[in-house]
Amino acid sequence: MQTVANESNPGIILIARNNEGRELAPRLAFRLGVGLAQDCLEVSVDASTGRLLANRPVYGGSAVAVVSCTQTPQIAALRPKTYEPLDADAARTGNVIAFPVDIDPSDAKTRVVDVVKEQAVGIKLEDARIVVSGGRGLGGPEPFSQLEELANLLGGAVGASRAAVDSGWVPANQQVGLTGKTITPDLYITVAISGASQHMAGCSGSKAIVAINRDADANIFKEARYGVVGDWEKVIPALMETVRELTQS
C-alpha cells in the first residue's frame, strides 16, 4: 500500500478501523512518515485550509476531540458503521485504476503458529444493528439467557462488560469496551452495567443507548438517551412481553 500511495500521491487516505485496518493504518502512516487519526467517528474537510478534520473519542470515550493532520497524505482510520452507505447513483462514473502488487512471502516478519476459530452463533457483535449487553450486576451467567432471548426478539446480538467476561460468565468475544470490541449499533441496550469509561470507549458511537440499572446514580445514565431505574429481573420480562405484542400486532 505504501507503493500505491507513493505513485498516486493522494491528499487523504481513509481506512476502515476493522481487524485489518487497525494494524494497517499505523504501519502505513509510519512508512510514509505522517501522522494518523485513529478510531474516528466523523471526518470533514476544513473549507479554509483544505485540511482533514477528524472527530475521535479520547479519555476512554469520556470526550470527543477534533484533530487535524498537518502532513500529507492525511490518514484517518474510521470506526466501522459510523456512516450510512449512500444510495447508488447511476449518474456518477469513475475510473478504477489497478495497481499490481508483488508480495514475497519470504519478506514476512511474522508467522502463524496457531488458529483458534471463534464459535459464533447468530449475528456477529460488530455487525448487529441492535446489541443487548449485560454486566456484573446480573450476578451470574444464567441471566444472559434472558438477554439472548431479548436480542433474538429484536434481531440483535448479545454483548457483555469486562467484569462479566472476567468472571467467566460469557466468552471473551462478546466483550464490549476498550480491551474488547468497538461497536456502533443503532440501538445499544445495557443491563446492569455501570457505565465505566473502559466500557463506554467501546460503545460511545452507538446511535441510541438505553440503560437499565437499579442504581439511579450509575454513570451509564449520563451517556444514555433513555434510562430505566429498576430491577432488571422485572424490567426485562416486561420489555420482552411488549416486544412480542408489537411484533404480533
Side-chain angles (χ1 to χ4, degrees):
M1 193 167 182
Q2 178 187 4
T3 302
V4 174
N6 288 333
E7 291 182 5
S8 58
N9 193 30
I12 296 173
I13 300 176
L14 300 179
I15 300 175
R17 191 179 177 272
N18 50 23
N19 291 336
E20 295 78 19
R22 70 178 62 194
E23 293 190 13
L24 174 63
R27 290 173 182 268
L28 176 63
F30 171 77
R31 294 194 176 192
L32 295 177
V34 299
L36 166 67
Q38 270 278 33
D39 195 22
C40 300
L41 302 175
E42 183 180 356
V43 291
S44 60
V45 176
D46 189 315
S48 59
T49 64
R51 306 305 297 179
L52 181 71
L53 300 178
N55 293 8
R56 61 180 305 272
V58 293
Y59 302 115
S62 300
V64 175
V66 180
V67 300
S68 176
C69 298
T70 59
Q71 301 154 305
T72 302
Q74 304 165 83
I75 305 179
L78 277 80
R79 185 178 294 188
K81 296 172 61 180
T82 53
Y83 284 93
E84 293 293 334
L86 297 176
D87 295 331
D89 185 355
R92 297 183 63 182
T93 59
N95 296 322
V96 177
I97 303 176
F99 288 88
V101 179
D102 295 325
I103 300 177
D104 186 350
S106 63
D107 292 336
K109 294 181 174 57
T110 61
R111 63 188 180 90
V112 178
V113 296
D114 191 16
V115 176
V116 179
K117 294 184 178 180
E118 292 183 351
Q119 298 298 323
V121 178
I123 304 173
K124 290 180 61 178
L125 193 59
E126 305 94 316
D127 298 334
R129 301 185 73 86
I130 299 176
V131 175
V132 183
S133 282
R136 188 201 307 272
L138 291 176
E142 295 78 11
F144 276 90
S145 62
Q146 292 192 47
L147 301 194
E148 291 175 3
E149 186 178 353
L150 175 59
N152 290 335
L153 287 172
L154 297 172
V158 175
S161 68
R162 177 177 177 175
V165 171
D166 288 347
S167 298
W169 299 345
V170 291
N173 62 1
Q174 291 183 248
Q175 180 181 331
V176 175
L178 193 62
T179 55
K181 294 185 176 179
T182 300
I183 59 175
T184 53
D186 292 339
L187 175 62
Y188 187 53
I189 302 175
T190 70
V191 184
I193 290 178
S194 63
S197 59
Q198 190 278 143
H199 183 79
M200 300 311 301
C203 62
S204 59
S206 304
K207 294 179 175 59
I209 297 177
V210 176
I212 301 172
N213 199 302
R214 69 174 66 185
D215 181 6
D217 297 322
N219 185 69
I220 189 66
F221 288 116
K222 298 177 182 178
E223 309 290 342
R225 180 177 298 182
Y226 306 103
V228 179
V229 178
D231 192 333
W232 67 267
E233 294 182 89
K234 297 179 181 178
V235 176
I236 294 300
L239 178 57
M240 287 194 292
E241 184 61 30
T242 301
V243 172
R244 290 192 186 96
E245 292 176 356
L246 291 174
T247 55
Q248 292 173 359
S249 59

